[in-house]
Amino acid sequence: MTLLPPLCACAVCLVIGKGNQAYSDSPLENPACIDQYKQPSATIRELSGLLKDMRLKSFYNGARKHTLTFSLATRDNIDTELKEKIWNYYLVASAPLFTYKTYREIEPDVDMGDDRADIHRKSEACLLMEKYIGLVRKTNKIKEPVKNQIIRRLFLPYYARILKQYKNAQEPNPYQRDAQGNPVPPLSDKEKEFRKREIERIKRLPVQEVLKLMREGSSHRSFIETRNEVFGDEVKHLEKALMKLLVSEFPGQYGKVENFILEAGYSKEDIPGLIDRTVGRDEKTDFLYKGKHRQKHDKLYKKKK
């Protein structure tokens, strides 16, 4: 019987590992790395099974319903109330976002009620992880080494992964036009020839078929444009929130902050601009300013004087 918890956790880990083969990021560390979270619940095992089978609409619907069962967490009960939440956020962070193609093709008969349900689940997870990081730090119910594990091995990597997913989620918009009405980017000769043939083909279709294509095109355009706009807004919010969390968690430790920034999909060249537009330079963030970035900032500061 003593083998049951590790076996259950291992099963969930294997499931998520297989589910992640569709994209290049390595699997996230699951909550079983902490003793009290080793045995996932039946609900978590069910959700991980949906994710393994790429039944993403059912997964996101189930993840939402799971959150409705959560009790209010405070720093007085965070030690007992965190388990289901952490496993839920692990799965949500591990799950891929929809594209227009996958949203149409995966479980077409399942009603999500919202074509941004995947974004809502991930953004909600980030918002709540921000809250729980604060509660974990403040509580006296959890020992310091375990606090560090929860925050640094679980919450922060999950948060960084979701931010990275949003950064990489922008879909090319085949309907984008410049001021003159030309496609952006410009079409190649091969694409122009294909489009010309398609126009001739569509001209020969019955009116009902043409109307159907127009509706599908409108839906395609709306889906991509709306989600791309949401992703842009979410990246701005999450990158700022993540930087504040990192500065608070790793004061004076540039290397550790940098590691999480890289995990979130930024390059080393991106870091100076990210710092400037999110946390800026003050006494708490001064350690983030290094080398040429610091020299450039010092020069700007002197000019302002």
Side-chain angles (χ1 to χ4, degrees):
M1 293 297 291
T2 56
L3 291 176
L4 181 58
L7 285 174
C8 289
C10 182
V12 173
C13 184
L14 288 173
V15 161
I16 300 305
K18 289 181 180 179
N20 278 348
Q21 288 174 359
Y23 40 100
S24 59
D25 286 323
S26 59
L28 291 164
E29 185 167 21
N30 75 64
C33 66
I34 298 175
D35 286 342
Q36 57 263 46
Y37 305 146
K38 279 192 181 296
Q39 185 173 8
S41 67
T43 301
I44 291 298
R45 294 197 296 274
E46 181 181 350
L47 288 173
S48 67
L50 294 172
L51 188 51
K52 173 193 174 185
D53 295 336
M54 290 299 285
R55 294 171 58 191
L56 294 181
K57 289 179 181 175
S58 293
F59 167 77
Y60 281 114
N61 282 343
R64 180 187 63 81
K65 291 176 182 176
H66 186 218
T67 63
L68 299 178
T69 68
F70 293 168
S71 300
L72 178 66
T74 68
R75 63 181 178 181
D76 294 323
N77 68 6
I78 192 71
D79 56 322
T80 58
E81 291 296 331
L82 206 52
K83 178 181 175 181
E84 286 297 295
K85 297 174 174 64
I86 286 184
W87 274 104
N88 182 286
Y89 305 151
Y90 160 66
L91 294 175
V92 168
S94 298
L97 288 159
F98 285 112
T99 63
Y100 179 73
K101 185 175 186 293
T102 58
Y103 187 81
R104 283 174 59 86
E105 293 179 355
I106 291 176
E107 298 186 292
D109 297 330
V110 174
D111 180 19
M112 295 189 74
D114 183 357
D115 61 14
R116 284 174 280 168
D118 53 338
I119 303 174
H120 294 325
R121 296 287 74 72
K122 289 178 181 289
S123 294
E124 179 185 59
C126 287
L127 181 65
L128 291 171
M129 283 191 285
E130 291 174 40
K131 172 186 174 181
Y132 297 141
I133 286 172
L135 290 178
V136 168
R137 275 289 166 228
K138 291 175 183 176
T139 188
N140 58 7
K141 302 279 187 176
I142 302 174
K143 294 181 179 179
E144 197 64 28
V146 179
K147 288 182 180 182
N148 290 339
Q149 284 185 303
I150 292 171
I151 294 172
R152 300 176 184 183
R153 293 177 64 179
L154 303 179
F155 278 148
L156 289 178
Y158 300 169
Y159 201 108
R161 176 62 58 85
I162 291 172
L163 174 53
K164 183 177 182 180
Q165 290 172 336
Y166 284 172
K167 281 171 57 24
N168 296 333
Q170 294 274 342
E171 279 197 76
N173 185 353
Y175 302 96
Q176 190 173 353
R177 298 289 187 272
D178 61 19
Q180 287 72 44
N182 299 313
V184 178
L187 298 176
S188 65
D189 290 341
K190 189 174 182 180
E191 288 170 328
K192 287 178 182 177
E193 186 60 34
F194 173 77
R195 178 164 292 191
K196 188 183 296 184
R197 291 197 304 270
E198 278 295 287
I199 290 173
E200 291 303 317
R201 182 183 70 82
I202 291 170
K203 284 180 179 178
R204 295 192 293 270
L205 292 175
V207 174
Q208 293 301 321
E209 287 295 315
V210 174
L211 292 174
K212 180 181 177 183
L213 287 174
M214 290 175 65
R215 286 194 296 270
E216 288 177 353
S218 177
S219 174
H220 190 180
R221 177 176 182 172
S222 175
F223 184 95
I224 291 176
E225 289 182 347
T226 301
R227 286 172 65 93
N228 281 354
E229 185 176 340
V230 171
F231 288 136
D233 290 341
E234 287 298 304
V235 167
K236 289 177 185 177
H237 168 74
L238 293 187
E239 67 179 13
K240 187 171 185 177
L242 178 62
M243 288 300 297
K244 288 181 177 180
L245 289 171
L246 294 176
V247 168
S248 176
E249 187 65 24
F250 303 110
Q253 301 177 69
Y254 180 86
K256 291 184 177 180
V257 172
E258 181 186 67
N259 287 340
F260 280 103
I261 293 174
L262 297 177
E263 279 189 36
Y266 297 87
S267 67
K268 289 192 176 184
E269 291 72 25
D270 294 330
I271 292 177
L274 175 66
I275 293 168
D276 287 341
R277 69 175 176 267
T278 55
V279 291
R281 187 175 178 182
D282 59 26
E283 59 182 18
K284 291 183 179 179
T285 61
D286 186 70
F287 74 96
L288 296 175
Y289 285 78
K290 301 284 186 182
K292 292 181 180 179
H293 183 212
R294 187 179 189 89
Q295 293 170 10
K296 181 180 178 181
H297 201 271
D298 286 344
K299 287 179 182 178
L300 290 172
Y301 181 71
K302 287 177 182 177
K303 283 183 180 180
K304 288 181 180 179
K305 277 189 167 183

